[in-house]
Amino acid sequence: AHRSSQQGMMRHMELKYENKLKAMEMKYESKYQMMNDRIIVLENKAKLCFNMQCSLPQREIKRGCLYCTRCGVANYCSRACQTSDWRNHQEYCNRNVRRTESRAE
């Protein structure tokens, strides 16, 4: 009888662990899906020039978007905006590139 109760206890702990793993997997999958959904929403929205001093109305880029080839995140309406914003963007760019490189390792 003692051995049977130990086996029952072990099985209970195994099931509890399996359920916890399943819950963690579901949580991860839903977070991943939320991130994908957010990226799609952002891609469908109008692109904004990263240069806060941009002269476009609301900095909205209607066509011909340039982007930072180093980090791939910052969008610009023109080469002039990209060049004038480099000092502001440089710190963000460096952090983003380092973060990407550390994930690749």
Side-chain angles (χ1 to χ4, degrees):
H2 179 70
R3 185 176 177 100
S4 173
S5 66
Q6 282 182 330
Q7 287 175 336
M9 182 66 120
M10 288 295 290
R11 184 65 189 139
H12 172 75
M13 289 172 64
E14 286 173 359
L15 288 172
K16 188 175 177 181
Y17 180 73
E18 285 174 14
N19 288 337
K20 193 171 187 176
L21 276 177
K22 284 179 187 173
M24 288 170 63
E25 287 172 0
M26 288 174 59
K27 184 177 178 182
Y28 172 78
E29 286 175 10
S30 64
K31 270 192 169 182
Y32 181 75
Q33 185 60 48
M34 283 174 26
M35 288 187 321
N36 278 344
D37 292 347
R38 180 78 177 130
I39 289 168
I40 290 167
V41 167
L42 289 173
E43 285 174 347
N44 291 335
K45 282 189 174 181
K47 295 198 186 297
L48 300 180
C49 185
F50 259 52
N51 186 349
M52 298 301 282
Q53 309 306 316
C54 180
S55 61
L56 289 176
Q58 283 97 34
R59 300 185 354 253
E60 187 176 342
I61 304 169
K62 302 266 186 193
R63 56 188 155 94
C65 182
L66 300 173
Y67 64 95
C68 176
T69 56
R70 189 159 177 254
C71 71
V73 174
N75 300 306
Y76 293 98
C77 66
S78 68
R79 184 81 175 136
C81 264
Q82 187 175 13
T83 303
S84 68
D85 189 51
W86 175 242
R87 284 195 184 276
N88 297 323
H89 174 64
Q90 189 174 10
E91 184 180 334
Y92 170 82
C93 189
N94 289 338
R95 273 186 285 142
N96 198 42
V97 168
R98 274 195 299 269
R99 192 175 311 129
T100 305
E101 288 171 349
S102 67
R103 286 184 192 151
E105 292 174 352

